[in-house]
Amino acid sequence: MLFAFIILLQGGGALPAFRVIFLLFFLGIVLLIIAAKTLKIVPQATVMLVERLGRFSRVAASGLNILIPFLDKPRAVYWTNTRGGMTSIDLREQYIDLPPQPVITRDNVTIHVDSVVYWQITDPIKAVYEMNDLVGGIVQLTITGMRAVMGDMDLDHTLSQRDQINGKLRLILDEATDKWGVKVTRVDVKNINPPEDVRITMEKQMTAERNRRALVLQAEGERQAAITRAEGEKQAAVTRSEGEKQSSILQAEGLAQARLRQAEAESQAIAQVASAMADHGNPAQYLITTRYIESLRDMTKSNNAKVIFMPVETSSMLSAVGTIKEMFTESGANVLSFVSPKPPPPRQLR
């Protein structure tokens, strides 16, 4: 282009205006190229490495940066899964989503594991000059570390101890990437997919384990229910016995109080009867007669036909009759013995 511009200037012609326009256009293009190589705008949270004559010169921070054209040149990086020839280096936290990788456990079961790695560049100079392909290195390091960690574990442990796997992987990656100027902040194992036959066997095993736990829980529940029921019956029996005891005590106290009240009432009644009959006769005879009449009245209400009720005077008369009979019996025996002679003794035969 420079040679064409010189030829146009040397050659005469009738079109001077065209030459002036072409000259201005050429100068504008040259100025644009120089400005593009001189002025560099770096976005926020990114940096750019500037090399002068192929050697590292400085780190261009975010904002407007002025470079010496044709001497300073931004360093381009070519990392896996990134745009080729990228000159700006992102300092924000990034992640790498790894596809499922085959891993062999300690019990010789091949599983497919996919994970996510979160990382951040802390030193862009090391990230560019210490490692050729930073992203590819992190990916390969994650795969090998995952195989090393899960290769020392059984299948059951790999499924139940994901936090332990994540912690070990993070330590391995953080230690290895420290010299690359990278900080691995977190590693998460997303999915662990065992083979189909192993998965079916595990499902059957889990079903049997759940059935066993259900039976154990049912038996435990029945045992607790029986214990609770027995405790309830025991407490109910104790409470019932305590209630019966209190009831008996209260009933006895009530009967005692009733008898005391009755005795007091009878005492007052007897005292009043005695006071009233002090001048009319024996109070005791009056009370006995009253009780005797009441007893006869109660006995007449009985349905027993064999019972004969007799007044007190009848018993006195019968006792007198018995006495007279005894007297006559004794007198009659004496009279008979006086009147009747003794029979003669029997005669003996020779």
Side-chain angles (χ1 to χ4, degrees):
M1 182 180 295
L2 182 59
F3 287 106
F5 177 70
I6 294 173
I7 291 172
L8 288 175
L9 289 178
Q10 291 179 354
L15 299 175
F18 175 75
R19 293 180 181 180
V20 173
I21 294 173
F22 185 78
L23 175 61
L24 293 176
F25 180 75
F26 179 77
L27 290 176
I29 292 176
V30 171
L31 291 175
L32 288 177
I33 294 174
I34 294 173
K37 290 183 175 294
T38 302
L39 302 178
K40 295 291 184 181
I41 298 176
V42 180
Q44 181 67 30
T46 59
V47 295
M48 184 174 59
L49 301 183
V50 179
E51 294 179 346
R52 180 169 295 175
L53 299 177
R55 186 176 181 180
F56 172 73
S57 174
R58 61 190 175 89
V59 177
S62 58
L64 180 62
N65 294 270
I66 299 175
L67 305 180
I68 299 175
F70 305 107
L71 294 179
D72 294 341
K73 179 182 179 182
R75 175 61 185 264
V77 294
Y78 298 88
W79 293 343
T80 303
N81 297 330
T82 59
R83 180 173 54 85
M86 181 179 60
T87 57
S88 59
I89 300 174
D90 197 344
L91 299 180
R92 296 174 298 177
E93 186 174 358
Q94 306 176 55
Y95 72 93
I96 301 174
D97 190 359
L98 275 72
Q101 301 294 326
V103 178
I104 300 177
T105 60
R106 186 170 60 181
D107 49 356
N108 296 324
V109 178
T110 302
I111 58 178
H112 289 79
V113 183
D114 56 344
S115 59
V116 180
V117 181
Y118 297 88
W119 57 283
Q120 185 177 11
I121 296 177
T122 57
D123 190 345
I125 299 175
K126 291 183 179 180
V128 174
Y129 294 104
E130 293 293 335
M131 184 63 183
N132 182 25
D133 187 357
L134 180 62
V135 177
I138 294 175
V139 170
Q140 296 301 323
L141 189 61
T142 304
I143 294 173
T144 56
M146 186 185 302
R147 290 175 177 174
V149 171
M150 292 188 176
D152 293 335
M153 304 174 66
D154 296 333
L155 177 61
D156 294 337
H157 292 166
T158 58
L159 296 174
S160 60
Q161 298 181 1
R162 295 195 179 188
D163 292 338
Q164 184 178 356
I165 296 173
N166 296 336
K168 290 182 178 181
L169 280 176
R170 190 186 65 80
L171 291 177
I172 293 174
L173 294 177
D174 194 22
E175 182 180 358
T177 57
D178 182 63
K179 64 178 181 179
W180 299 345
V182 175
K183 174 67 176 178
V184 177
T185 59
R186 188 173 178 180
V187 180
D188 288 333
V189 176
K190 294 197 302 182
N191 297 314
I192 299 176
N193 299 320
E196 186 66 21
D197 54 346
V198 176
R199 186 183 62 81
I200 295 174
T201 304
M202 292 175 61
E203 289 179 355
K204 293 181 179 179
Q205 181 180 0
M206 287 187 293
T207 302
E209 182 66 20
R210 289 192 183 97
N211 293 333
R212 185 187 68 83
R213 291 179 182 178
L215 293 175
V216 171
L217 291 176
Q218 183 179 1
E220 186 67 20
E222 292 177 355
R223 186 178 71 88
Q224 291 293 335
I227 294 175
T228 305
R229 189 162 47 248
E231 289 291 335
E233 293 176 356
K234 175 182 176 182
Q235 292 295 331
V238 172
T239 305
R240 187 164 50 251
S241 300
E242 189 69 22
E244 292 176 356
K245 175 183 175 182
Q246 293 294 333
S247 177
S248 300
I249 293 174
L250 293 176
Q251 185 177 4
E253 290 179 356
L255 292 176
Q257 292 292 334
R259 294 185 65 182
L260 289 175
R261 294 293 178 86
Q262 185 177 3
E264 291 177 357
E266 289 181 357
S267 175
Q268 293 178 1
I270 292 172
Q272 291 181 1
V273 170
S275 177
M277 296 187 65
D279 299 332
H280 300 283
N282 189 2
Q285 186 66 32
Y286 171 75
L287 293 174
I288 292 172
T289 305
T290 303
R291 293 293 178 87
Y292 174 71
I293 294 172
E294 292 177 356
S295 299
L296 288 178
R297 183 186 61 191
D298 294 336
M299 287 186 294
T300 55
K301 296 179 181 180
S302 174
N303 295 325
N304 193 352
K306 296 181 180 180
V307 180
I308 299 174
F309 300 98
M310 300 180 67
V312 178
E313 292 77 4
T314 306
S315 62
S316 300
M317 182 182 66
L318 291 176
S319 61
V321 171
T323 303
I324 296 171
K325 180 181 178 181
E326 291 179 357
M327 293 175 59
F328 276 106
T329 301
E330 294 178 356
S331 300
N334 294 328
V335 171
L336 291 176
S337 61
F338 176 76
V339 174
S340 301
K342 294 181 180 181
R347 301 177 61 183
Q348 295 181 357
L349 297 178
R350 296 181 177 179

